[in-house]
Amino acid sequence: MEVKKAILPVAGLGTRVMPLTLHQPKGMIGIVDRPIIHYVIDEIVAAGINHIILVTGPNQPEFKKYITHLEKDPSWKTLGIKFDFVIQEKLAGNGDAVYLARQFIKNEPFLVCFGDDLLADKIPPLKNLVDQFKKANAPIVVVESVPPELASSYGMVKVAPDGQYEDLRLIEDIVEKPAQGQAPSNLAIIGRYLLTPEIFEELEKLYPYTGKEIPLADALRSYVSKGGSIYAWEFPGKRFDAGSKIGILKAQVYFGLKHKDFGPEFREYLKSPGGEGENSD
């Protein structure tokens, strides 16, 4: 099964990075010379995806405006990328955001990419993920090792001790934001998934929801509990938490140094006394 579509939920309020999000959505925060959303789209396109579905909030015209800007760029026109939009009227969780985009996903696998994370590696991260999917032909979540004190902020996975496939481990359980000391491992799900349409059936069962939101992790856990196979792939590259201020700052430095136009000058600036320029006080 070929992977040709990606869901990109961007409706979040970005409360962790206020006041940066008082005048713009989190996905439009600038990293060097482009907004966060552009970096995620670049990841998606590098994986060979040609159809991207953005799930936005009801008062976020900035995303459509930016996509219109991209589509006018001659270099983007040659890529042949199709964009569609879905409005998430109420912020009912990441599971709800994925479920709302189901109309564009037929009986085919698809990527889910959240703008809270930016990934970088020598091999394009999502191309690597698609290649992993071709081996297992089953859903995969991307994970990263996190310190115990941060586990309560993530969906944490319990994996089988041995794997049938190199670099992949079968998931035995998923615990969403476990209490301190209750995480089943140190492996946290980060914002990249490669899923199959069966997940929509599990998401549908979570409606009507009684809590504040519908977590995607709950649907994944239900799928696993019924015998479905989901694998964890530990990302080997760099991950930046673009939902936090320090993560945004780190991403600015990393992508600034990598920038083809600004990188050399920026590197020299950082090498100057105090990293603040030679004429700093």
Side-chain angles (χ1 to χ4, degrees), residues 83-103:
F83 293 96
D84 277 303
F85 289 83
V86 177
I87 304 298
Q88 188 178 22
E89 296 291 345
K90 295 196 318 181
L91 294 181
N94 57 8
D96 179 65
V98 172
Y99 187 70
L100 290 174
R102 68 193 183 282
Q103 60 184 296

Side-chain angles (χ1 to χ4, degrees), residues 185-280:
S185 75
N186 65 342
L187 295 176
I189 300 175
I190 57 177
R192 302 292 184 272
Y193 306 71
L194 208 165
L195 304 176
T196 54
E198 290 81 8
I199 198 63
F200 294 123
E201 299 173 17
E202 299 302 328
L203 284 168
E204 187 171 10
K205 294 171 186 175
L206 299 177
Y207 293 87
Y209 59 97
T210 55
K212 292 183 179 180
E213 58 183 32
I214 294 179
L216 179 57
D218 283 6
L220 296 172
R221 187 181 198 189
S222 176
Y223 184 77
V224 169
S225 70
K226 295 172 183 176
S229 294
I230 299 179
Y231 290 89
W233 175 54
E234 189 167 0
F235 180 58
K238 292 183 178 293
R239 193 266 298 195
F240 300 95
D241 179 3
S244 72
K245 292 178 182 178
I246 187 63
I248 290 171
L249 183 59
K250 290 177 180 179
Q252 296 279 12
V253 174
Y254 178 85
F255 289 106
L257 290 171
K258 295 287 185 181
H259 198 283
K260 62 182 178 64
D261 296 326
F262 313 137
E265 182 178 350
F266 187 42
R267 186 177 299 276
E268 288 304 311
Y269 172 77
L270 293 178
K271 288 179 179 179
S272 64
E276 300 171 346
E278 294 195 11
N279 298 319
S280 61

